[in-house]
Amino acid sequence: MKTIKFLSIFALAGLLFTGCSDDDENPDPVNEEEVITTMTVTLVPGGGGDTITLQTRDLDGDGPDAPVVTVSGDLAANTTYGGGIVLLNETETPPENITEEVEDEDDEHQFFFVTTGNIASVDYGDQDDDGNPVGLVFTLTTGDAGNASIAITLRHEPKKPNDGTLADAGGETDITETFNLTIQ
């Protein structure tokens, strides 16, 4: 009988010690994905002219309402624009500037630009510490007058370096939008 009591106490003590294990002294920090409700792209023509703003705004996130997509005007033909992207989380008051987080974690982010129609090129204007493109700053060059579109996608933790395509980059999409443009 004493043996059974001793074994029961021993088993109970073992459970207490294993239940209080400190294996997780240094757990990995959780880096939650950014909530991005608004992407604003500003295009400033190099030779003067009207600044064009492209914006997608989805204040209910994954809710039932579609994002509101706006383009402030037409692009000029055969023109180079300096581009910049600002990302916001407008579910918070005041809105959180997610652009700063992407800048701080530039090795874990990359924008991808997929164009159709009369956009001649999009070239990255910034890079991470390893020399890989980021895309918060870029140049866009238009071709002749006509129609065009640009799909802008931000990937979180893409493979770097990559071949410049979404298929090769992998990672997770933080935000994506296609803007339909007219070039005059």
Side-chain angles (χ1 to χ4, degrees):
M1 189 67 132
K2 287 183 181 182
T3 305
I4 293 175
K5 284 182 183 178
F6 178 74
L7 288 176
S8 297
I9 292 171
F10 183 72
L12 183 60
L15 285 174
L16 289 174
F17 284 115
T18 58
C20 297
S21 159
D22 61 352
D23 289 343
D24 294 333
E25 284 183 23
N26 296 314
D28 292 334
V30 175
N31 188 3
E32 294 183 21
E33 269 190 52
E34 304 83 6
V35 173
I36 302 171
T37 60
T38 307
M39 175 171 55
T40 304
V41 181
T42 304
L43 300 172
V44 180
D50 294 335
T51 296
I52 304 300
T53 303
L54 317 176
Q55 187 177 72
T56 181
R57 193 169 189 209
D58 191 3
L59 297 180
D60 72 343
D62 290 334
D65 298 330
V68 176
V69 179
T70 57
V71 176
S72 68
D74 297 337
L75 299 176
N78 303 304
T79 301
T80 299
Y81 289 84
I85 299 175
V86 174
L87 305 168
L88 298 176
N89 174 2
E90 293 188 276
T91 64
E92 296 188 10
T93 304
E96 179 184 7
N97 187 343
I98 303 300
T99 312
E100 296 168 356
E101 185 173 335
V102 172
E103 287 172 336
D104 291 343
E105 300 174 1
D106 59 3
D107 61 326
E108 298 176 13
H109 292 89
Q110 184 176 350
F111 283 92
F112 292 85
F113 305 93
V114 178
T115 63
T116 64
N118 292 7
I119 295 176
S121 66
V122 177
D123 298 304
Y124 290 95
D126 57 351
Q127 52 189 267
D128 63 21
D129 290 339
D130 295 324
N132 296 306
V134 178
L136 283 167
V137 177
F138 62 94
T139 57
L140 179 145
T141 303
T142 60
D144 293 335
N147 293 319
S149 71
I150 184 168
I152 301 174
T153 302
L154 174 61
R155 283 285 171 94
H156 183 84
E157 295 187 347
K159 174 179 86 173
K160 286 190 174 185
N162 56 62
D163 69 5
T165 66
L166 291 166
D168 185 51
E172 293 185 26
T173 298
D174 281 341
I175 188 168
T176 188
E177 189 59 65
T178 300
F179 300 95
N180 295 313
L181 307 169
T182 301
I183 301 170
Q184 293 189 349

